[in-house]
Structures are given as C-alpha cells and as structure tokens.
Amino acid sequence: MSGGGLRSRLLQGSAYLIVRRGIGLVVSLGGMLLLTRLIGAGAYGSYATITIVLGYATDLCINGTGAYLIRADEETAKKRFDLAFTYLAAVTAVTAALGCALAGVVSGWFHQPGTERALALSMLTIVPNAYTVPAMAQLERELRYRSVAYIEMYAQIAYYATALGLACLGFGLWAPVCGGLAQSAVIAALCARFSRYWPSFCWNAAQFQEMFGYGIGHTASMRVIGLRPVLGALIVSRFAGAEAVAFVSLVGRLADSLGFVGAAIQRMTFSFLARIRQEPGEVEKAMNGMLLAQVLSVAPLLVGFSVCAPWALTLFFGPGWAPVLSLYPYRAAVCIAACLFSVHVQILYVLGRNKDVVGINLLHIALFAGAAAAFVPHAGLAGYAAAEAVSIASYFACDAPIRRLYRLRYRDALLCAAVCVPPLFFPIAPRPEAYLLFVPPLIYALVPGTRRKLARLAGEWTRARSRRRGAPESAQAALPP
C-alpha cells in the first residue's frame, strides 16, 4: 500500500467519524443543557460523579485490549479475540459485582449520599464491554468506520432519547442512569449486527501475558497524560483561585472539542499503520504523508475560532469569561503541536513500544507541571499560559525513538504549524494591528507549492469517494488505493 493510497483511505474512512463527531458535539451540547434543566444541577452533578467512577473502572477493565486486538497478527486474530473476550468477561463481571457491593462506600467518598443504588445499577454497564470491545476492534481492523460511526451515533441518540424522556416524566437522577443502560444495550446490539463477531471462551497463558503486558503499558501512558488537567487544576486552584480553574477548564474543553477532526484521523491512523507495520518502507511513506494532513486537520478550526472567540464567549458565557481569551492561543498551539506528533505516538503504540510513550508523556507532565508551579504563584493565569507554551517542547522528544526507525521530513508540516500560530493571538492583539497576524498563513496558502499539496489532498479525497461510491462496506478494505 502506497503512502498516497493510505492517505486516500484515511480521508475517505475518517469522513464518517468526522461527521459523526461533529453531529455528536451538537447533540451532546444540546442534550446536556436540556437534561441539566430538567433534572436540576444537583442530580446532574451526582450523575457526573457516577460517570467519573464508571469511566475509571471501565478503563482499568479494558486495559488497552482494543488497541492490542487491532494490531494482532492475522493468523492468530480469532484466538486472540476470543482470549480477550474470555478475559474481559471475567474482569468486567468481577468489577461490576465489586462496584455494586461497594457503591455505598464509594458514594460516601465523594460525599454523594443517596446515589448508592444509581451507582450500583450503572456499574452493570461495564459487563457488555466484554463483547463490544473485541467487536469494535474487529470493525476497526477491517477499516469499517462507517459502521463504527453508525454505532456511536445511534448509541448517543438512544442515551439522550431515554434520558430526556424519563427526565420529562420526573425520574430525576434515574433518567441519565437509565439512558446509560440503553446506550450500552444499543452498542452491544449494533456491534453484533455489524461485526458478526461470535465469541467463544478461549485461554492461552502465553498470549494472555503478551496481551496484558501490552495493555499495562498502554493504560499507563494514558493515565500519565490524564494527570495533566488534574495537576493544572490543583496548581491553579491553590494560587489563583477556583474561578481561574473554571477558565482553565473551559479553554481546555474548547480546544479539545475543536480538534474533533484530528481525533477522528488519529483513530484511523492507528488501524492503518497496524496493517502495514511489517513494511518499514510503506510505514515511512505513510507517516511522511500524514504529518501535514494532521496539522491541517486541526489548525483551520482553531484559527477560525480565534476570529469569532471574542463575541462567541461573550454571547454564550458572558463578559466575565474574558480571561479565557488570553489562555486560548497557548492551549491551541499545544493542540497543533500534539496533532503534528500524534502519528509518532500511534506508530509507537502499533510497534508495542508503549514505554517510549510513557516516557514522552512523563516529560510532558514534568515540563507542564513544573512550569505551572514556578510561574502561576507569581503571574496567575499568565503563568499558566507560559506553562502551556513550555510544554510544547516535550513533543519534539517524540522524534528520538522514531529517528532510529524511519526518516521523516518535517519541513512542510512544521512550516504549516508555524504560520498558523500567529492568528491564534488575534483575540488578545490590539486592533488594527491584529489583522496582520493573518499575513503569514495567507502567504503560505498562496505559495504555488502549497496549493499543489492542497490540491493533491483534495484529489485523493475525491478519488477515494468515487472508488467507494456504491461499493458495499465489507468490500471497501479490499479496494485498491
């Protein structure tokens, strides 16, 4: 498979996920606002606590199993899928049972009396993961992202339809809890419908050790980077107050939400690279082709929001949230850097070099938390912005483990990222000088070489659509690039 063919498949397949995530953001925002109004802030806050506990328990159960299955060898894939089902069936059942038994204790820890039964019932949604994780992994291995998008969208609709319907009937906290049960059931049913995966019990000690070892490294890397918002909130709350934490949290959510296109492409990148990991030359071509595409997947949306941010924040949140504007450029720049080097992280996961990812994430956390601890006490939110900028340096460490394996050409991607950074400061720059910040990306876009690259990407998108239009999805993975 050529690098161009990989990019073509990536653009075509990720279109389903991009549309699904875009619609999902709108549905989620509207549904959340309606649900909060119907059941009240107190009940919604209790359910938010339940989802935190449930999410943490689910992640520990899954333990990177889905990623392991996507990269499994074709010859032993069925046995490994059944092994994963056997392991997940046991661990999810035990976790759900423990969660139900300890629901009262956990509710006490979070000072949420009266949520014991709701938490216990919600823990039951962990059990279907024993089937849905390998079933979804099979769909992703086969690059059937249209089915993945349908499953996720219908599951979200089932959740809000159930939750909002019961909320209108006055069920309070039980409305979103039952919505979660409906969502879990729909995911399981649709996974069976689309994947046609029929599990059986299987055990192999050597393969389990390999799977569990990979999962530990994968989960550890995710848990390390998950400390970022926690440490940021702790430092900011201590030295700048609770209000500053709200500003930091909102800017993080905004930047992450605007990166939904990049997130969809990254998800597909892992599956594509897993398919060709035995061919170093093809992997190198694919990674070089993906560098610029990753930047273009997030930078335009982040730059576009910087234009409308001043009035959008005032309109939806009020003038009291103006400090978010001073944080947004730095957080957006971090997102661009993270997306540029995301292909490095994906190939390290594919190759099973999870320890390298853990090291990179530890460096990122050290730089970010260290700079925040040094700057925030003296400069408040400006110090936090400086910490965001310092953390960007950690992403360049991604090149060290990759350089020994592949030769990557960064010029186009780095240049694109660099010219997109100045417009991010438009909300806080003085007028009319602020409009000059858009000169670098305009010049970059008008350069003939850049136009040729963009035209080539657009051509790959058009060819991908024409090749697959009318073809059944089960045959899409077999189509030539």
Side-chain angles (χ1 to χ4, degrees), residues 4-337:
L6 177 65
R7 291 196 302 274
S8 177
R9 292 191 186 185
L10 189 63
L11 288 170
Q12 193 277 339
S14 61
Y16 298 112
L17 290 181
I18 291 170
V19 173
R20 177 265 178 273
R21 286 175 179 264
I23 296 175
L25 284 174
V26 177
V27 173
S28 179
L29 179 60
M32 181 183 65
L33 291 175
L34 286 174
L35 189 59
T36 305
R37 284 175 176 259
L38 290 171
I39 68 175
Y44 191 83
S46 296
Y47 182 69
T49 302
I50 290 174
T51 59
I52 292 173
V53 176
L54 188 63
Y56 192 85
T58 302
D59 287 345
L60 289 179
C61 288
I62 294 176
N63 191 37
T65 304
Y68 172 82
L69 293 176
I70 292 173
R71 58 183 291 278
D73 294 331
E74 191 67 35
E75 294 79 8
T76 60
K78 181 60 170 68
K79 292 183 178 180
R80 293 177 189 271
F81 272 68
D82 290 339
L83 173 63
F85 169 76
T86 304
Y87 158 71
L88 290 172
V91 73
T92 55
V94 171
T95 302
L98 287 174
C100 292
L102 300 175
V105 177
V106 175
S107 297
W109 288 345
F110 286 93
H111 305 285
Q112 297 282 351
T115 62
E116 297 88 350
R117 290 185 298 169
L119 175 59
L121 186 60
S122 295
M123 293 298 291
L124 298 179
T125 61
I126 294 178
V127 177
N129 284 287
Y131 175 74
T132 58
V133 168
M136 289 287 278
Q138 180 166 302
L139 291 173
E140 297 201 39
R141 275 175 61 88
E142 298 171 357
L143 310 178
R144 295 173 59 188
Y145 281 93
R146 179 169 59 185
S147 296
V148 172
Y150 286 161
I151 291 171
E152 294 179 349
M153 183 171 296
Y154 287 134
Q156 186 179 38
I157 292 173
Y159 169 77
Y160 280 110
T162 303
L164 293 174
L166 293 177
C168 291
L169 296 175
F171 278 77
L173 172 61
W174 290 101
V177 169
C178 292
L181 292 171
Q183 182 181 41
S184 181
V186 168
I187 291 175
L190 292 179
C191 279
R193 165 68 176 81
F194 286 112
S195 73
R196 304 291 184 180
Y197 168 63
W198 308 116
S200 59
F201 290 103
C202 172
W203 188 255
N204 183 301
Q207 289 182 358
F208 173 75
Q209 184 177 5
E210 178 188 341
M211 180 180 70
F212 193 76
Y214 178 88
I216 288 292
H218 189 277
T219 302
S221 66
M222 301 300 291
R223 286 298 165 200
V224 168
I225 202 63
L227 291 173
R228 192 184 200 277
V230 177
L231 293 176
L234 288 174
I235 295 171
V236 171
S237 63
R238 179 175 181 181
F239 296 106
E243 188 179 52
V245 176
F247 299 146
V248 168
S249 176
L250 178 59
V251 76
R253 287 179 177 272
L254 287 172
D256 292 343
S257 298
L258 291 168
F260 71 92
V261 176
I265 294 178
Q266 289 168 33
R267 183 174 177 179
M268 283 202 63
T269 299
F270 179 84
S271 300
F272 275 116
L273 294 178
R275 292 183 58 165
I276 61 172
R277 69 180 185 276
Q278 304 297 341
E279 306 173 54
E282 296 303 319
V283 171
E284 182 176 304
K285 292 179 183 178
M287 292 179 66
N288 277 306
M290 283 304 304
L291 291 175
L292 179 60
Q294 290 284 16
V295 176
L296 291 174
S297 70
V298 297
L301 286 173
L302 293 170
V303 171
F305 182 76
S306 70
V307 176
C308 62
W311 65 264
L313 282 173
T314 303
L315 177 64
F316 292 104
F317 296 95
W321 292 84
V324 171
L325 296 176
S326 63
L327 297 175
Y328 175 78
Y330 300 92
R331 178 61 176 170
V334 170
C335 288
I336 292 176

